[in-house]
Amino acid sequence: MVAVRVNPLPLLAGLVLLTACSGGGGTPAATPAVTPVTTSSPAVVSSSSVASLPPVPSTSSSWAKPAVTGKVVVLDPGHNGGNASHPKDINRSVPAGRGEMKPCNTTGTATNAGYSEHAFNFAVAQEVGNALAAKGIKVVYTRTNDTGVGPCVDRRAEIGNDAGADAVVSIHADGSTSAGAHGFHVAYSSPPLNAAQGAPSTRLAHALRDGLRADGFTTSTYIGSAGLSARSDLGGLNLSTRPTVLVECGNMRNSAEATLMSSAAGRTKYAAAIAEAIEAYLA
């Protein structure tokens, strides 16, 4: 979603701002066996852990079994748990594509009760990754914990490019305060800057939209059209050379969607729909 965010760390300087998740009346703000990502930049700064999330691997070994299908999926859980305490790091400018510069990252949004978007994104991404890995798909994450800073949006895009991903899916939640705003939407780069951002990315966007809708999720009432949103301002999408989309799972400021996102059962429901949609795209 487009939300209040702060840009990520000086360490993982490189990721692209895929989408924004944070309150803002309907207008997105500048805004993810697994193979953990390594960079030449400083290690991620850690903060207090999020008890409600599944345990995160403490080694550099993969989380799920090796790929047997030859397919690679990069999952990008938006924001990070340590971003808010490192404003200087996440607010520094990085390339965002189309000749633009944007903050490294942001803090993301939260429900009115205080459940953070970064925790939701990370928990859902883990469940999606586990489901895909169980099918023999190699899964790579742009971040492997929810206590660090960043990575920056340009670095996030670079991770997908370097992995030669068959699909890159950035997972977010929005924070619009517009009256009645609710529903999910899937953003993709438009106009495309390369071949991967053309038909492959739009096909991935349709697969995610159709999969979420088939599982009972409602398309956005305030952004895009029929659950799809063409965007030219998201760094993670602009800098990608692989089929890439950003999924705003819903609006955390909407009471019904906030309740769903805050529950383990709700997160599992989102993850199952996203994983099935990715599998359908890869097929």
Side-chain angles (χ1 to χ4, degrees):
M1 81 160 228
V2 171
V4 175
R5 307 171 173 177
V6 190
N7 295 289
L9 82 118
L11 330 168
L12 304 176
L15 283 179
V16 176
L17 247 328
L18 292 177
T19 257
C21 313
S22 169
T27 299
T31 325
V34 177
T35 304
V37 178
T38 59
T39 69
S40 56
S41 48
V44 206
V45 180
S46 66
S47 63
S48 58
S49 58
V50 181
S52 63
L53 297 178
V56 179
S58 58
T59 69
S60 59
S61 59
S62 39
W63 302 7
K65 55 187 179 183
V68 295
T69 64
K71 300 294 185 180
V72 178
V73 171
V74 170
L75 297 176
D76 174 39
H79 313 295
N80 207 331
N83 285 5
S85 58
H86 293 77
K88 183 177 180 180
D89 294 337
I90 63 171
N91 285 322
R92 67 189 184 79
S93 295
V94 299
R98 302 182 194 273
E100 299 295 322
M101 298 290 288
K102 286 192 173 184
C104 163
N105 212 212
T106 65
T107 58
T109 190
T111 66
N112 292 332
Y115 179 60
S116 67
E117 182 201 348
H118 62 77
F120 169 80
N121 298 339
F122 186 63
V124 171
Q126 284 191 302
E127 290 202 48
V128 173
N130 288 338
L132 296 178
K135 299 295 181 65
I137 297 167
K138 181 179 180 180
V139 178
V140 176
Y141 293 88
T142 59
R143 61 182 176 98
T144 56
N145 63 61
D146 194 47
T147 60
V149 180
C152 296
V153 293
D154 57 321
R155 175 58 188 152
R156 290 179 191 245
E158 186 178 60
I159 290 170
N161 296 342
D162 290 349
D166 294 286
V168 179
V169 177
S170 184
I171 298 172
H172 287 252
D174 208 359
S176 173
T177 55
S178 296
H182 69 277
F184 77 87
H185 66 277
V186 184
Y188 59 95
S189 179
S190 180
L193 298 174
N194 53 53
Q197 290 179 18
S201 289
T202 55
R203 187 164 65 84
L204 177 58
H206 278 80
L208 266 294
R209 188 274 308 276
D210 294 347
L212 284 163
R213 195 158 58 178
D215 275 17
F217 293 102
T218 302
T219 56
S220 177
T221 59
Y222 61 104
I223 296 178
S225 176
L228 298 175
S229 180
R231 298 287 294 271
S232 63
D233 62 326
L234 300 180
L237 301 182
N238 289 338
L239 298 175
S240 180
T241 58
R242 312 302 303 172
T244 305
V245 298
L246 184 154
V247 181
E248 292 282 8
C249 294
N251 184 14
M252 295 191 107
R253 298 305 180 86
N254 173 272
S255 61
E257 292 184 336
T259 297
L260 187 64
M261 292 181 193
S262 299
S263 71
R267 292 189 291 272
T268 294
K269 181 176 173 64
Y270 276 110
I274 292 171
E276 290 170 6
I278 293 173
E279 289 178 49
Y281 170 79
L282 296 177

